[in-house]
Amino acid sequence: MRVLVVEDDHALAEVIAEGLRDQGMAVDLAHDGLAAAAKLDLASYDVVVLDRDLPGLHGDTVCQMITDRAARPMVLMLTAASAPGDRVSGLTLGADDYLAKPFHFPELVLRVHALARRKPDARPRTLRAAGIELDPVRRIAVRDGRQLVLSVKEFAVLEALLRTSPGFLSAETLLEQVWDENADRFTNTVAVTIGRLRRKLGDPPLIATTPGIGYHIA
Amino acid sequence: MRVLVVEDDHALAEVIAEGLRDQGMAVDLAHDGLAAAAKLDLASYDVVVLDRDLPGLHGDTVCQMITDRAARPMVLMLTAASAPGDRVSGLTLGADDYLAKPFHFPELVLRVHALARRKPDARPRTLRAAGIELDPVRRIAVRDGRQLVLSVKEFAVLEALLRTSPGFLSAETLLEQVWDENADRFTNTVAVTIGRLRRKLGDPPLIATTPGIGYHIA
DNA sequence: GAGGACTTAACAACAGCATGACAACGCCGC
DNA sequence: GCGGCGTTGTCATGCTGTTGTTAAGTCCTC
């Protein structure tokens, strides 16, 4: 899952980003509205965590820019003020959920997950395919009754593959979906991660390769 | 992402191409309108970066050729002139975005990305015939509920046959459609690929041969 | 049964991918 | 702070499946 955090307080932004990364999300940062707009053009996000009080372009404006689009990410608006009116106008502007600072971090995580599930191309609570059962929120993966111990990246790759099943995912697309903007495009880290994932998945082989096309769940 | 850069200034063309390649894009070059037209027939691009002042075929003409098509790439028009009228006529001709030389390179990159994301998903419905279901976008082929694992060429040949169904495709036509312009006309590779495809399709036979005419879906 | 047209098997070349070893990094307990 | 541990990315190397080719085999027509 790919998330954009828009927050002018650098320290807070880092805290949020790190916390979400621990959850296996690919997180990009923007510290003002303009940077956010640029990043939104460069990648497609599942969720945007958006501070309402931004320098330059106001959060409300950014929110409208996002929600004007056809295929848009879900927006979780953060606000310092807790005036009840804010909630209303925020939602009116098209934010999909609302969270007042200060907030408990676990709640932020929960809401981001919940928003991702509400997306039009929604992801079900648990993904199932070919003897695999995967719970993205609780981060549990089971194959044939046996629980798998996966690293953050391995889990994210497996989730992406299951979501796309029975379709294909190229290494390039996986880089976009699972890694963040700092990923080197000419690396073979995807191949390595797939390899490690395959080993943990055990037999029979679950992930198949079609040279020149990508990976898919067999 | 696949990009065609059409620019008669070889040095500038190289600079643009290299810069876009650094962004992980697959970039082809054309130095005049005719070459551009030829390449556009041979491959499907996501974005065309098009210089307006081209020798031979003018950029405007090339732009119209592109935008007349159904499944067309997005066009970013480059122009030396910055007269305000240019922008209007350029966009009128169907360019999707406009950039005046000299430009800042990061801006070019941003706009190419933005265009790619604006590109409407060509949604060619799944192709169906005789128990076969084929989704060119997700690259899935299913026969009687069983997913087929096809190589790049095999898939392309099957797709071509289904698109032409119930018509015929000669080996020569298949060579043109699936292989590139440099393919040896006296090769046997089409027949071999058809053979391998038949084996993967299994029984009952799906691809029939009419000697002297070509192949078709039975 | 001779000839043409297509099919098939076997092989070699190649690109793309897989893999093991290693290094860098952060995390944790002590 | 230090050493151990797991994760992640990089690199070099080896391997595997795909692809095009050649040549032998099959089928049909005349």
Side-chain angles (χ1 to χ4, degrees):
Chain A
M1 185 192 320
R2 188 111 181 228
V3 181
L4 177 65
V5 173
V6 190
E7 166 63 66
D8 63 311
D9 178 343
H10 287 232
L12 178 56
E14 271 306 327
V15 170
I16 296 177
E18 281 312 310
L20 293 178
R21 285 190 187 120
D22 286 348
Q23 295 285 313
M25 304 178 189
V27 183
D28 292 350
L29 282 180
H31 295 304
D32 59 69
L34 278 179
K39 303 227 169 182
L40 284 162
D41 276 339
L42 284 176
S44 78
Y45 297 94
D46 298 293
V47 177
V48 178
V49 176
L50 178 64
D51 186 18
R52 194 169 182 203
D53 299 313
L54 286 176
L57 231 52
H58 191 261
D60 289 352
T61 317
V62 177
C63 185
Q64 264 185 315
M65 286 174 45
I66 294 172
T67 51
D68 279 349
R69 296 170 183 235
R72 68 186 192 80
M74 301 297 271
V75 177
L76 172 57
M77 184 91 93
L78 299 181
T79 182
S82 56
D86 270 9
R87 180 178 177 84
V88 174
S89 63
L91 292 178
T92 305
L93 281 166
D96 302 287
D97 198 0
Y98 213 79
L99 191 56
K101 301 187 203 171
F103 51 84
H104 288 293
F105 194 75
E107 186 174 2
L108 176 67
V109 172
L110 273 180
R111 284 177 187 262
V112 170
H113 272 299
L115 282 179
R117 234 183 297 117
R118 272 171 52 198
K119 267 194 91 175
D121 59 336
R123 49 195 79 199
R125 191 158 290 124
T126 66
L127 296 158
R128 278 172 234 269
I132 290 278
E133 209 168 305
L134 183 141
D135 182 334
V137 180
R138 298 195 297 163
R139 284 192 32 78
I140 296 173
V142 177
R143 177 169 202 190
D144 301 330
R146 184 170 50 86
Q147 181 163 351
L148 302 169
V149 181
L150 302 181
S151 79
V152 173
K153 292 289 186 220
E154 289 157 5
F155 192 92
V157 166
L158 181 58
E159 181 184 349
L161 283 170
L162 285 174
R163 283 194 66 220
T164 316
S165 179
F168 287 77
L169 275 180
S170 68
E172 201 183 343
T173 311
L174 273 170
L175 252 195
E176 276 180 22
Q177 291 194 9
V178 174
W179 279 259
D180 62 29
E181 58 185 342
N182 300 318
D184 174 9
R185 289 183 181 75
F186 303 102
T187 182
N188 81 329
T189 180
V190 175
V192 173
T193 304
I194 290 275
R196 304 204 239 253
L197 184 52
R198 277 184 173 133
R199 195 180 314 162
K200 289 195 183 174
L201 285 169
D203 282 325
L206 184 76
I207 302 174
T209 308
T210 301
I213 300 298
Y215 303 95
H216 71 114
I217 301 292
Chain B
M1 186 195 313
R2 189 124 184 222
V3 181
L4 176 65
V5 173
V6 191
E7 166 64 64
D8 62 311
D9 177 344
H10 287 232
L12 178 58
E14 271 307 326
V15 171
I16 295 177
E18 280 312 309
L20 293 178
R21 284 187 190 123
D22 286 347
Q23 295 284 315
M25 305 179 189
V27 183
D28 289 351
L29 281 179
H31 295 303
D32 59 69
L34 278 179
K39 301 233 168 181
L40 284 162
D41 276 338
L42 284 177
S44 78
Y45 296 93
D46 298 295
V47 177
V48 179
V49 176
L50 178 64
D51 187 17
R52 195 168 182 205
D53 300 312
L54 288 175
L57 231 51
H58 191 260
D60 290 351
T61 317
V62 176
C63 184
Q64 265 186 314
M65 287 173 45
I66 295 172
T67 51
D68 280 349
R69 299 172 180 226
R72 68 186 191 78
M74 302 296 272
V75 178
L76 172 59
M77 184 92 91
L78 298 181
T79 181
S82 56
D86 271 9
R87 180 176 175 85
V88 174
S89 63
L91 292 177
T92 305
L93 281 166
D96 301 288
D97 199 359
Y98 212 79
L99 192 57
K101 300 187 204 171
F103 51 82
H104 288 293
F105 194 75
E107 186 174 1
L108 176 67
V109 172
L110 269 180
R111 286 177 186 264
V112 170
H113 271 296
L115 282 179
R117 301 204 56 228
R118 267 171 57 197
K119 194 184 177 197
D121 262 352
R123 275 289 167 206
R125 70 197 178 292
T126 59
L127 299 161
R128 278 171 228 271
I132 288 279
E133 219 169 295
L134 184 140
D135 182 338
V137 178
R138 297 206 290 164
R139 223 203 84 95
I140 298 169
V142 176
R143 177 167 203 193
D144 301 329
R146 186 171 48 86
Q147 183 170 358
L148 303 169
V149 180
L150 302 180
S151 78
V152 175
K153 294 287 187 217
E154 289 156 6
F155 192 91
V157 167
L158 181 57
E159 183 181 347
L161 283 170
L162 284 174
R163 282 192 194 285
T164 317
S165 180
F168 288 81
L169 274 180
S170 68
E172 200 181 345
T173 312
L174 273 170
L175 250 197
E176 281 176 18
Q177 291 195 11
V178 174
W179 281 260
D180 64 30
E181 52 185 334
N182 304 318
D184 175 11
R185 289 195 187 291
F186 305 104
T187 182
N188 187 29
T189 183
V190 175
V192 173
T193 303
I194 290 275
R196 302 205 242 250
L197 184 52
R198 278 182 171 136
R199 194 183 315 163
K200 288 195 183 175
L201 285 169
D203 283 325
L206 184 78
I207 301 174
T209 309
T210 304
I213 304 295
Y215 302 95
H216 74 281
I217 301 293

